[in-house]
Amino acid sequence: MPSVVIHNVRELRERYEKVLVVGEGAYGRVLKATERITKEIVALKSIPLCSGDKEGFPISTIREINQLKTFNHNNVLSLRYLLLVSDTKEGWATCSRSEAYLVFDYVPHDLTGIISDPGILMNEASIKSYMQQLLTAVVHVHSFGSMHCDIKSSNVLVKYDGTVKLADFGLARFKNPNPNVTYCNNVVTRWYRPPELLLGDNKYNEKIDVWAVGCILAEFMDRRPIYPGSDEKDMCARIFSMMGVPTNSTWNNVEGLKLYRVMTSGIAKGPSLRDHFASFRGFVVVDLLEALLQIDPNKRISAEQALRHPWFSQAPEPSKSALKLPTESRNESWVKKQFAEQEKRRMQSHQQQMLRNGNRKRSIDTLNASQPPPKKQQKITNTVRYNGHTITNTIH
Amino acid sequence: DLSQIPPGHIFTDKEKELLLLHHMDELRNYGTKLQMHQRVIATAMVYFKRFFANNQIRDCDPLLLVPTVLLMASKIEECPINCKSILKILPSEFTNLYSMQNIIDCEIHLMEQLDFNLTIYHPYKQLELYIESLHLENDVALVQS
């Protein structure tokens, strides 16, 4: 992967033609742009270089670059270039005055978009293919002793031909060979967080990614996220009501986890996973789902074992072209736009409703016009004498 | 002593080698002062050598590069240290010339020069296994330190 250092912003504009902003988040922005020379469409991910504290190049960015340079797999979104744009005309690129961009191939769809588009009809062959590709990518990542830490449907991109690309290694990190090393507990987007993270574990391992993959499989089957918890407590309630509250006998040392007591109190028993997917009764896929969404990380299967699951060798064979994907991109920002439009339409219809109600009221008013109009309120004037000055309060 | 060298002096290979050796020593000293892991210091040394394999000594002051490679290596090896704490242990001849901002600016330059190839593979794990296979249990702890 060549890194290109550009020494001013003008050169950046000469290289790339900005098309639109695709995503925006805590990390920065993702731009869709056209490379002027090759006419290829790329995604530019801007990464912050200057964090507020004076620590130089942020370690998270270093991790991301490091990870991306390590992986080389068809199902992992690869880095084309690294751009360092600096405003200084000559000399070194400096931290305070520069921006860095990661340049990727532009991939139009992601799983959030595909799953939530009602116009796309899912079939088992394509779901199987997407899951298989996703799992191969995860196996590849894990084989380097790395954890992705942010697998979710919007980070799984899909090309027009159905090739899956795992993206966004902003939180990914290499595992330390020392098992006593603790990691930051605050990783993974909430709906895809596994129980060990929700219970405050900070010595987790790569099995957290497997849970997230399980959540995506459930999302495929249900066409909506399986655990859309509104906060950590709600997440726990949703998971444990389905799976049962873990105890030391079902999950070694779970009660020793920091948040065990807070999170497991007052949980009502709900329908089990198999009841939730009752329409899939008797299908092998539920076996796989159950193995992926095993609350005890030690009992949860690894990504490699999941790939060997009989579901993948059963008919129908996985086929990545079984699903016709639309030409416009179906991604997270599309879903958000769709959602916003829906909301707008609802607001509009609501307003119209209100307006109609208002009209009715007015017509009633005109009907009652024959009656004498209510008396105009009299002006009440309070005059207070204070130290010789007159203060007049007029109340209408 | 670098301050004695007249401007425009061209280093001979021998002198260059001596200079590198001297800075390797410095890196080790500072590293142990900062209680860094052996592995981090080794990574810092590789960065230092790689940088000057591609650059002339006059391109970048080795004095400035020393704390920069230490900072960089500590980040890559996942045991980040504070930039301030590095500054604290540096001698006054450094702090008179440079500030924290210089280190931070130099860091990007370093990454650029290393072409962002920042992962360094060390044979520590292999060495550990080798010593274990020789049944020298006492030395395993030494390697692990």
Side-chain angles (χ1 to χ4, degrees):
Chain A
M1 191 246 2
S3 73
V4 181
V5 178
I6 301 182
H7 281 290
N8 61 50
V9 183
R10 210 187 65 233
E11 220 173 306
L12 178 78
R13 293 211 192 94
E14 277 165 11
R15 269 180 97 98
Y16 297 102
E17 188 180 353
K18 183 179 147 187
V19 183
L20 73 154
V21 179
V22 196
E24 214 155 339
Y27 48 84
R29 293 179 301 164
V30 180
L31 309 173
K32 181 183 169 185
T34 322
E35 203 172 320
R36 282 181 206 267
I37 303 166
T38 56
K39 299 274 179 254
E40 282 174 304
I41 301 174
V42 294
L44 297 175
K45 182 179 178 183
S46 79
I47 42 177
L49 278 195
C50 224
S51 47
D53 48 312
K54 294 261 178 194
E55 283 309 317
F57 212 89
I59 188 162
S60 52
T61 311
I62 294 180
R63 277 185 198 143
E64 186 170 3
I65 295 170
N66 228 346
Q67 304 273 342
L68 286 167
K69 288 193 75 131
T70 312
F71 305 133
N72 175 24
H73 192 272
N74 192 28
N75 296 123
V76 177
L77 190 65
S78 59
L79 191 62
R80 288 166 68 115
Y81 303 109
L82 190 114
L83 293 180
L84 212 55
V85 185
S86 167
D87 271 345
T88 46
K89 290 234 166 53
E90 268 169 59
W92 297 357
T94 59
C95 185
S96 46
R97 274 164 295 170
S98 53
E99 265 181 298
Y101 289 94
L102 303 178
V103 185
F104 301 99
D105 288 334
Y106 179 71
V107 185
H109 309 296
D110 68 27
L111 287 186
T112 310
I114 291 175
I115 290 173
S116 45
D117 183 1
I120 300 177
L121 282 175
M122 291 284 179
N123 51 42
E124 198 181 341
S126 58
I127 294 178
K128 204 178 273 189
S129 165
Y130 292 158
M131 288 306 295
Q132 194 177 35
Q133 293 180 65
L134 173 61
L135 278 166
T136 26
V138 175
V139 168
H140 181 75
V141 170
H142 288 181
S143 70
F144 286 96
S146 168
M147 305 181 269
H148 183 285
C149 292
D150 198 15
I151 294 184
K152 55 176 170 177
S153 56
S154 59
N155 278 345
V156 182
L157 311 181
V158 184
K159 280 180 29 177
Y160 287 121
D161 65 349
T163 310
V164 166
K165 297 271 185 190
L166 183 60
D168 194 357
F169 286 79
L171 289 175
R173 56 180 301 175
F174 289 109
K175 264 198 322 180
N176 201 308
N178 182 352
N180 290 324
V181 168
T182 58
Y183 306 102
C184 174
N185 173 264
N186 192 14
V187 292
V188 190
T189 307
R190 194 195 307 125
W191 294 352
Y192 301 87
R193 295 189 87 193
E196 63 264 32
L197 286 178
L198 293 166
L199 293 176
D201 192 5
N202 53 11
K203 282 181 190 164
Y204 50 85
N205 56 19
E206 70 283 348
K207 295 283 176 67
I208 59 169
D209 290 342
V210 177
W211 174 276
V213 172
C215 288
I216 289 177
L217 178 58
E219 207 171 322
F220 265 127
M221 289 158 68
D222 242 2
R223 297 206 79 157
R224 60 192 162 90
I226 177 170
Y227 300 123
S230 55
D231 54 46
E232 271 69 25
K233 183 87 208 313
D234 189 33
M235 278 302 294
C236 279
R238 280 167 193 267
I239 293 171
F240 295 144
S241 77
M242 200 180 266
M243 311 279 191
V245 177
T247 54
N248 269 350
S249 56
T250 57
W251 174 353
N252 206 9
N253 281 335
V254 63
E255 286 167 35
L257 291 176
K258 210 165 44 183
L259 298 173
Y260 179 79
R261 244 155 245 293
V262 191
M263 289 300 192
T264 54
S265 60
I267 282 167
K269 184 90 187 75
S272 72
L273 189 69
R274 277 187 189 269
D275 292 343
H276 185 86
F277 289 101
S279 54
F280 290 86
R281 196 180 300 280
F283 284 92
V284 186
V285 63
V286 185
D287 281 343
L288 175 63
L289 186 66
E290 216 171 36
L292 292 169
L293 292 179
Q294 174 62 244
I295 48 174
D296 181 358
N298 304 314
K299 289 183 197 144
R300 202 177 301 151
I301 54 172
S302 69
E304 219 174 345
Q305 288 166 328
L307 263 186
R308 288 198 298 266
H309 193 273
W311 183 57
F312 289 109
S313 45
Q314 248 183 5
E317 249 176 63
S319 151
K320 64 178 180 182
S321 51
L323 202 61
K324 277 276 164 292
L325 296 170
T327 40
E328 312 100 72
S329 59
R330 292 283 179 266
N331 52 24
E332 198 185 13
S333 64
W334 177 81
V335 174
K336 275 185 186 155
K337 216 162 74 189
Q338 219 65 9
F339 189 74
E341 263 169 37
Q342 231 175 43
E343 197 77 337
K344 208 169 127 190
R345 239 175 284 142
R346 224 181 54 202
M347 284 299 285
Q348 268 172 358
S349 69
H350 185 67
Q351 268 173 359
Q352 272 170 4
Q353 193 80 28
M354 290 287 281
L355 220 63
R356 234 175 283 140
N357 286 347
N359 281 344
R360 204 178 301 145
K361 223 179 194 171
R362 207 169 300 155
S363 57
I364 292 168
D365 285 349
T366 44
L367 275 179
N368 296 343
S370 55
Q371 283 176 2
K375 263 190 201 167
K376 248 187 186 173
Q377 272 189 326
Q378 274 184 331
K379 258 186 191 174
I380 306 160
T381 313
N382 286 341
T383 311
V384 184
R385 277 189 185 277
Y386 181 75
N387 280 0
H389 296 279
T390 315
I391 302 162
T392 312
N393 276 333
T394 310
I395 302 163
H396 292 277
Chain B
D1 191 2
L2 284 174
S3 57
Q4 304 288 306
I5 296 167
H9 174 79
I10 297 165
F11 286 94
T12 61
D13 285 353
K14 180 98 179 144
E15 278 173 324
K16 241 182 180 174
E17 206 173 303
L18 270 174
L19 200 79
L20 275 180
L21 264 178
H22 166 69
H23 284 101
M24 291 300 116
D25 267 355
E26 270 198 333
L27 279 174
R28 194 175 296 118
N29 281 341
Y30 294 145
T32 39
K33 261 188 207 163
L34 288 164
Q35 295 174 327
M36 276 173 160
H37 212 269
Q38 191 179 13
R39 192 189 176 84
V40 186
I41 304 173
T43 303
M45 286 174 170
V46 175
Y47 289 158
F48 196 91
K49 283 190 175 167
R50 279 198 191 166
F51 184 91
F52 282 117
N54 296 331
N55 291 274
Q56 297 299 318
I57 305 242
R58 63 167 180 274
D59 292 342
C60 178
D61 190 349
L63 194 65
L64 177 60
L65 202 62
V66 166
T68 312
V69 291
L70 281 174
L71 183 68
M72 192 75 236
S74 76
K75 283 181 187 172
I76 284 292
E77 299 292 343
E78 295 290 347
C79 48
I81 44 165
N82 206 309
C83 199
K84 264 185 202 144
S85 54
I86 300 184
L87 264 183
K88 257 181 219 156
I89 59 148
L90 291 172
S92 59
E93 57 189 281
F94 178 87
T95 38
N96 290 343
L97 276 172
Y98 301 109
S99 70
M100 198 149 78
Q101 194 57 46
N102 293 113
I103 300 181
I104 290 168
D105 288 347
C106 187
E107 193 183 17
I108 288 200
H109 184 60
L110 169 73
M111 288 175 79
E112 195 188 317
Q113 289 302 315
L114 294 173
D115 210 8
F116 293 88
N117 290 317
L118 301 169
T119 312
I120 309 288
Y121 298 96
H122 296 296
Y124 287 120
K125 187 76 200 163
Q126 284 80 348
L127 182 66
E128 213 173 283
L129 292 172
Y130 178 62
I131 289 180
E132 252 174 35
S133 72
L134 294 178
H135 302 289
L136 298 167
E137 275 77 17
N138 295 341
D139 294 333
V140 174
L142 185 75
V143 176
Q144 279 169 345
S145 68

